[in-house]
């Protein structure tokens, strides 16, 4: 195709070392919110609260993968990905999330069928156990602010591992704990929609404990690879002023190090300046830092901040200077070299404690129509993915261990508070009919994967 970016031969050679995947998440693609004995989660509550989702969409039916998963598997097989990162809905398995609830066989059957279909198609399943969809019954008792949620998560993981552990060897535990703590509990723009600012931070500790708990359980069930999927961003000061540098250091602390340090070093960074005390009990830090086989890292864009002298937070996010932006506008700039720089920083910060990184999400949304009659030419997405993969290759060449790369997303889907207004898919989905139409980025990713295979 004219204008399609090419990789340099050295970059292509480097990319041969990666395993390739594409990702989705249960609430964003399944629909069928009231079927199969499924219970309610915090996103059901969020979408049913008028005004919370920008276009009032409810994720149901959305891509309707609950009924159309066979088509998704066919698309994955056509793409030639090594793996598929999907998520399991907690409330399809334990509908009320509570202690002592019998696991729901219909929910387990659904995921077992999906796993079997993937394996039959030669695609390795890599499910995520928690992608933001906490049972509503647990949010009512404090959600991730309550340490008891960790035990309930352990029971759910046990039920899933009992059913799937003989076939699934690769797992993600908790997706983007930073988004849940910062946007869900501190600021409230994601479910559960609380706005507790720094009081939200115990939710960090409990999610990390849930990760450690799940890791132990999954290992007992023979898992070969377990990891959280942590979202990170390179934080840039707006100017060289001391106040902007100080603001960048604070956001780097609470967005990046607050999650990576305990996972990789077994300790929190110094939080005294923020007046935060984590509810740490004996043995917690060992559990959280149970060695992971890989470090799952979601990366989309850098974040630029400006120091704020007085206010509830010591920083304010401002647009990053960039040649181009995604469908989200100036706060979601396209700066691929910041992925390379962030990966190199990870290696510098964590040295030999850093296991191979898997890029567990990377991708971009661009304005695209709801209905399409033929393939959509999404050259901007191709350029975004190409340039970020080039950044990954450069990081590998600079000595960062990187084992895999995952596109977000296989399908257009429900983009949380942004509803259907942001489309991330390699495959266009008509949200009225569920019809799937591969975009040109699908063909591009397929050809790239084919070209780096022996
Ligand atoms: O859609 C989300 C996904 O659920 C988590 N990571 C970021 C994606 C794009 O915003």
């Amino acid at each position: 195709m004219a204008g399609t970016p090419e990789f340099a031969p050295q970059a292509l050679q480097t990319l041969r070392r990666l395993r390739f995947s594409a990702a989705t998440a249960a609430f964003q693609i399944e629909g069928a919110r009231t079927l199969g004995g499924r219970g309610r989660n915090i996103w059901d509550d969020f979408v049913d609260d008028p005004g919370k989702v920008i276009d009032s969409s409810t994720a149901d039916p959305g891509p309707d993968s609950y009924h159309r998963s066979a088509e998704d598997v066919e698309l994955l097989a056509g793409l030639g990905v090594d793996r598929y990162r999907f998520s399991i809905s907690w409330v399809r398995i334990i509908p009320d999330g509570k202690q002592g609830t019998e696991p729901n066989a219909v929910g387990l059957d659904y995921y077992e069928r999906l796993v079997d279909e993937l394996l039959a198609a030669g695609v390795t399943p890599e499910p995520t156990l928690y992608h933001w969809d906490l049972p509503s019954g647990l949010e009512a008792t404090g959600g991730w602010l309550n340490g008891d949620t960790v035990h309930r998560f352990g029971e759910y993981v046990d039920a899933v591992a009992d059913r799937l552990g003989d076939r699934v060897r690769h797992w993600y535990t908790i997706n983007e704990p930073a988004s849940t703590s910062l946007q869900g509990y501190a600021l409230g723009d994601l479910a559960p929609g609380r706005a507790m600012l720094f009081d939200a931070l115990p939710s960090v500790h409990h999610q990390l404990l849930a990760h450690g708990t799940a890791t132990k359980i999954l290992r007992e069930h023979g898992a070969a690879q377990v990891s959280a999927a942590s979202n990170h961003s390179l934080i840039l000061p707006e100017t060289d002023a001391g106040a902007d540098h100080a603001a960048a250091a604070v956001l780097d602390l609470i967005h990046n190090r607050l999650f990576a340090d305990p996972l990789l070093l077994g300790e929190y960074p110094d939080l005294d300046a923020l007046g935060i005390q984590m509810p740490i009990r004996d043995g917690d830090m060992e559990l959280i830092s149970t060695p992971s086989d890989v470090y799952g890292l979601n990366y989309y864009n850098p974040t630029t901040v400006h120091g704020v002298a007085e206010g509830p937070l010591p920083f304010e996010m401002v647009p990053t200077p960039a040649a181009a932006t995604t469908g989200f506008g100036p706060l979601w700039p396209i700066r691929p070299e910041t992925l390379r720089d962030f990966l190199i920083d990870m290696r510098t910060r964590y040295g030999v404690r850093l296991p191979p990184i898997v890029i567990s999400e990377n991708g971009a949304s661009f304005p695209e129509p709801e209905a399409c009659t033929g393939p959509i030419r999404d050259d901007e997405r191709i350029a975004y993915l190409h340039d970020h993969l080039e950044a990954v290759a450069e990081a590998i060449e600079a000595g960062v261990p990187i084992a895999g790369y995952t596109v977000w997303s296989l399908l257009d889907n429900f983009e949380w508070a942004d509803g259907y207004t942001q489309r991330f898919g390699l495959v266009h989905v008509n949200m009225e009919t569920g019809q799937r139409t591969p975009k040109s980025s699908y063909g591009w990713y397929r050809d790239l994967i084919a070209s780096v295979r022996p």
Side-chain angles (χ1 to χ4, degrees):
M1 185 198 307
T4 302
E6 301 274 335
F7 285 102
Q10 175 59 47
L12 265 189
Q13 193 60 30
T14 304
L15 295 177
R16 283 177 189 275
R17 303 185 203 172
L18 299 180
R19 284 181 296 269
F20 291 91
S21 180
T24 60
F27 194 83
Q28 295 179 271
I29 63 160
E30 285 180 1
R33 295 202 285 125
T34 54
L35 298 185
R38 178 187 180 283
R40 278 183 74 85
N41 67 41
I42 54 175
W43 274 97
D44 293 304
D45 299 334
F46 197 89
V47 302
D48 288 345
D49 190 353
K52 291 274 196 204
V53 176
I54 200 168
D55 59 358
S56 304
S57 55
T58 64
D60 199 359
D64 197 20
S65 290
Y66 188 70
H67 296 109
R68 306 179 77 133
S69 61
E71 286 174 63
D72 297 346
V73 174
E74 211 174 299
L75 285 163
L76 289 157
L79 205 47
V81 280
D82 303 287
R83 297 181 177 186
Y84 177 40
R85 179 175 175 229
F86 60 98
S87 87
I88 295 180
S89 160
W90 188 339
V91 292
R92 284 202 192 280
I93 311 301
I94 311 285
D96 60 2
K98 300 268 170 70
Q99 184 166 24
T101 302
E102 194 57 34
N104 174 26
V106 182
L108 287 166
D109 290 348
Y110 169 68
Y111 293 109
E112 184 170 52
R113 248 188 337 269
L114 174 59
V115 161
D116 287 343
E117 283 168 1
L118 287 167
L119 291 171
V123 178
T124 300
E126 45 179 14
T128 303
L129 287 151
Y130 182 73
H131 197 119
W132 300 2
D133 43 3
L134 186 74
S136 302
L138 294 183
E139 179 57 23
T141 55
W144 287 113
L145 299 166
N146 181 350
D148 190 54
T149 297
V150 176
H151 304 299
R152 304 291 78 79
F153 184 67
E155 287 160 5
Y156 150 65
V157 172
D158 217 26
V160 174
D162 270 348
R163 178 67 85 91
L164 301 179
D166 60 340
R167 277 153 287 174
V168 176
R169 303 266 177 241
H170 304 82
W171 301 88
Y172 287 102
T173 54
I174 303 280
N175 182 69
E176 299 192 356
S179 301
T180 293
S181 290
L182 304 181
Q183 288 174 273
Y185 285 87
L187 300 175
D189 46 332
L190 297 177
R194 301 210 199 186
M196 307 171 66
L197 298 178
F198 287 114
D199 289 341
L201 294 181
S203 67
V204 173
H205 190 62
H206 296 136
Q207 289 185 86
L208 294 176
L209 278 175
H211 157 75
T213 302
T215 303
K216 246 179 103 190
I217 295 170
L218 295 167
R219 289 260 168 75
E220 283 160 15
H221 283 80
Q225 182 181 304
V226 186
S227 164
S230 301
N231 54 313
H232 291 299
S233 177
L234 187 76
I235 313 293
L236 304 167
E238 184 183 28
T239 69
D240 248 344
D244 289 352
H245 276 276
V250 172
L251 188 58
D252 183 43
L253 187 74
I254 61 180
H255 189 86
N256 295 319
R257 294 189 50 209
L258 188 56
F259 299 88
D261 281 18
L263 288 169
L264 294 171
L265 305 178
E267 61 190 24
Y268 284 106
D270 186 352
L271 301 174
D272 284 352
L274 303 178
I276 300 167
Q277 283 258 308
M278 284 295 183
I280 303 173
R281 299 208 205 149
D282 272 358
D284 282 3
M285 300 316 293
E286 289 74 21
L287 186 59
I288 289 172
S289 58
T290 306
S292 277
D293 313 279
V294 294
Y295 187 88
L297 191 154
N298 295 0
Y299 193 93
Y300 289 90
N301 55 268
T303 308
T304 301
V305 287
H306 166 86
V308 173
E310 278 175 28
L313 294 173
F315 54 81
E316 180 189 13
M317 292 175 195
V318 295
T320 303
T325 60
T326 71
F328 281 100
L331 289 180
W332 198 310
I334 302 180
R335 290 278 300 271
E337 79 287 1
T338 65
L339 170 58
R340 176 201 59 212
D341 295 349
F342 188 82
L343 291 166
I344 293 173
D345 279 0
M346 285 290 287
R347 173 72 179 168
T348 308
R349 276 184 183 173
Y350 300 109
V352 294
R353 305 290 287 272
L354 180 69
I357 289 175
V358 168
I359 307 295
S360 34
E361 284 182 27
N362 177 239
S365 66
F366 294 100
E368 284 160 358
E370 164 64 20
C372 71
T373 46
I376 287 185
R377 255 196 81 161
D378 54 344
D379 293 351
E380 288 169 296
R381 179 168 296 100
I382 292 175
Y384 178 100
L385 298 174
H386 168 275
D387 294 353
H388 282 78
L389 270 162
E390 208 162 58
V392 169
E394 286 168 13
I396 296 174
E397 285 154 19
V400 184
I402 304 179
Y405 177 84
T406 312
V407 170
W408 182 271
S409 172
L410 174 68
L411 304 173
D412 286 344
N413 58 54
F414 176 77
E415 177 56 20
W416 309 112
D418 288 283
Y420 299 139
T421 65
Q422 300 292 335
R423 291 175 172 271
F424 278 86
L426 298 173
V427 176
H428 179 274
V429 178
N430 181 318
M431 300 299 170
E432 296 284 311
T433 64
Q435 189 186 337
R436 283 128 166 86
T437 311
K439 304 177 192 175
S440 42
S441 57
Y442 175 94
W444 174 85
Y445 196 43
R446 177 197 59 212
D447 293 349
L448 168 68
I449 294 170
S451 71
V452 296
R453 288 286 165 265

